Amino acid sequence: MQNLRILILVILLFPFVWLDASAQSDNRGKDFWVCFPQNAKYESAGLRFRLYITSEFSSKGSVTISGLGFVKKFQLAPNAIATIDLDTSCQIVGSNAVVPFGVHVVSDNPVAVYGLSNRKASTDSYVAYPTNVLGTEYRVLGYHSLGDDAFTTQATIVASEDNTEVSISLTGNVKMGKHNGESYSIHLNKGDAYQMQGTSGTDGKNDLTGTLVTSNNPIAFFTGHTCAEVPPPVEFCDMLLEQEPPINTWGKQFFLSKMTGKADYALRVLANENDTKVFLNNAQVAILNPGAYYENNRVSDNAVVTTDKPVLVAQYARSANADSVKIGDPFMTLIAPTEQFLSAYTFVTPIKDDPSSKSVSIFQQDIADPSTHHVVISDSLGISHLFIQKNLVDTAKLIHSFMISKFRKDAIAHARAGEHKAFKFVKNSEGQIFEFEAEAEDTNPEVSNFSRGGWQHFINIIIPTNSIQSIRLDSFSIPANKFTAVGLTTYSIAQVEIPYGSHSISADRPFGLYSYGFGLGGENFDSYGNIAGQRVMRIARNADTSKPTLEIAPSTSADQINLIARDDRIDDLGIGKISVTDSSHKANPVTFPTFEVGAPQVTFSVAKPTQANCVYLKIQDFAKNTTYYALCPTSGGNNSDSYSLQPMLVEQSSEHSAYPVSIYPVPATFGQPIRIAFTNNIPEIVSAIVLDEEGQIVTELQRKQMTQPGNHWLVYHSEKFSTGSYFLRLTAYSLDGSTSYQQDARFIVIH
């Protein structure tokens, strides 16, 4: 918010989301409790609260604020939108008071509900969650308080049932006398709302982030800031507002995407459990305890956050003066974990709706080949955008709807007389944004007072890389070159400019979607951003039982092969250890990078094996799940395609520290023997036996004396083993026969 600027009022219609049929819990429902916390400084002028309600079914219902005697009924046709303007007296102002200003939405069929809090130059919105998915445990995720007493972090609670007891454990000072470290309780009845605001100042004791809120009955929980600078003290501030999902729906893998038009963004990661490891792009950046958070106020590229325990993640657009791209003040959006992605969304981008704007005819020059280009100018946006495309369904440009019914094909021809004025337009061509000068004329005295404001709208798509070809935006595919792989992950991200209006998007696998936009011209200090939807499922805590994997990565080296070790699925705890179990008697050195235990991916290089050798590798994750691989040459040639990375499925049933046994069944197609390696620390006598699945002896090694400690091999011809599972028992005796040790293992041979 910029206090001294008078900006055009913007009404934001944010994503309306339909979830796929497989969703168990989502943001559709028949009963909702929402509220409207304080927006910037308390003043009634220019304030607007709205609810947008939509459904795929014919629906009817009501919106009630019992404390104000406010009731409005609505009725919806399928896929229509009901807009409910609320009495702004329901604004919850200040701290530490209970007020009957909860907003209750009921419907006879499932609907989706969205809230808009708007005043000049301070706007935010939220997706509402129905009563059936509300929880009883939350933590505040806000942002730094400012020096102005009105601009502080805040959190608001709405009770969904009578006799609701709420316990609050503070991590910051609250106005009206509550202090960091204190705990207290409040009593609420259905529809009551309670708000707490941090005190002003920048000493670190005023941000309520991490404050724990628990209750005996489900509550709706709203968090954010009255008007935040990101980062402080960079101008200007804007309201932050989100409804939080409960703690038991948090996740462990999050993708954050850069925003078109902004140089950088900020992020926060909030923990709820002890010793929560946080990785940003494979680098460990924090170990957090309950209520603690990691903050990075300058991230300039797509990123992935992974943790070993569930967390809540927020992304913040930075203030307009935070970089050289001076558009858009802050907004906050909660990031969906991959566990909560959907496979289909229907959403609506914000629409500029300023009744004071009037149509203006525009004359533009120097458009190459006008016979194959269309000039699209919105009379509702005023003079601020000039979009050019080759045809109205050119998916390569992804500018194919633009509400054509509002445009006049002969609008340009009208600009022939009157006063000439120079304006700066934004041109979108081949996905690039740049500026150029054009001439415009006012051809009618009735349209002399026009708006120079406007908006650009974007979506960010986070999708498994192998599903890019399946994605459809308004029935059109999105070119693969729009997507960029996110580091070493299996996901890719695209930033796509879209016109205002209704859109649908789907893919063959769940993906993440965010909608955001920035004002232009006279409105370039305003912005919005929303998650386009997500599941709201209680996520089960599953043990990490999946084994890590290894894959060959592209390489141009003549003598090296690049490998990627992965342990990056939903319940994985990350890579724990990588070792060379044998490299043909150390003929092929392996270079391991330094990495933090728990990293989801690790890259390293291997010297290319010769035709006579293989490299044998052991990959273990933090949960001690282990896989073995053989990297061997196939046929002639000297590139990565001439080598095969074969998993060797080994399952050891026991292990004695003095006699570790590792089994390396090289596939028979390589024409090499099956090798069983073991290490002895003292002189000993060894015997071994191999049984098949039926318990029949396949081969056995009679007692063999090992007079020297070190590494030894038991070698078997591969033709003795068909594809299948085998059991090995190795027994070692001391030379004097006084002690013995036994090692059992199972292995699988794959031809």
Side-chain angles (χ1 to χ4, degrees), residues 78-136:
N79 301 312
I81 300 171
T83 302
I84 309 295
D85 285 299
L86 303 178
D87 185 340
T88 56
S89 299
C90 72
Q91 179 177 211
I92 303 169
V93 179
S95 184
N96 200 30
V98 176
V99 292
F101 292 162
V103 181
H104 195 199
V105 180
V106 294
S107 175
D108 62 345
N109 279 316
V111 296
V113 178
Y114 305 84
L116 170 73
S117 178
N118 168 257
R119 67 166 67 250
K120 292 181 179 180
S122 182
T123 300
D124 209 349
S125 56
Y126 58 85
V127 177
Y129 296 119
T131 305
N132 65 292
V133 301
L134 299 180
T136 58

Side-chain angles (χ1 to χ4, degrees), residues 473-489:
L473 173 61
D474 297 333
S475 301
F476 294 100
S477 61
I478 298 177
N481 61 11
K482 293 279 186 182
F483 291 86
T484 302
V486 185
L488 299 174
T489 74

Side-chain angles (χ1 to χ4, degrees), residues 389-407:
Q389 61 190 75
K390 290 185 177 180
N391 58 67
L392 297 179
V393 293
D394 191 336
T395 59
K397 306 299 183 297
L398 288 175
I399 308 171
H400 51 263
S401 58
F402 278 97
M403 298 180 66
I404 301 302
S405 62
K406 286 194 173 185
F407 308 139

Side-chain angles (χ1 to χ4, degrees), residues 504-522:
S504 62
I505 187 169
S506 63
D508 62 0
R509 294 177 64 189
F511 63 98
L513 184 69
Y514 301 88
S515 175
Y516 62 100
F518 301 103
L520 297 171

Side-chain angles (χ1 to χ4, degrees), residues 569-615:
R569 291 149 298 202
I570 296 301
D571 293 311
D572 287 344
L573 296 179
I575 300 296
K577 184 179 181 181
I578 302 174
S579 58
V580 182
T581 53
D582 175 66
S583 58
S584 299
H585 306 291
K586 311 301 180 184
N588 298 292
V590 176
T591 301
F592 294 117
T594 300
F595 67 94
E596 295 285 349
V597 171
Q601 304 98 15
V602 176
T603 59
F604 59 98
S605 299
V606 176
K608 289 183 176 179
T610 65
Q611 286 295 326
N613 295 305
C614 293
V615 176

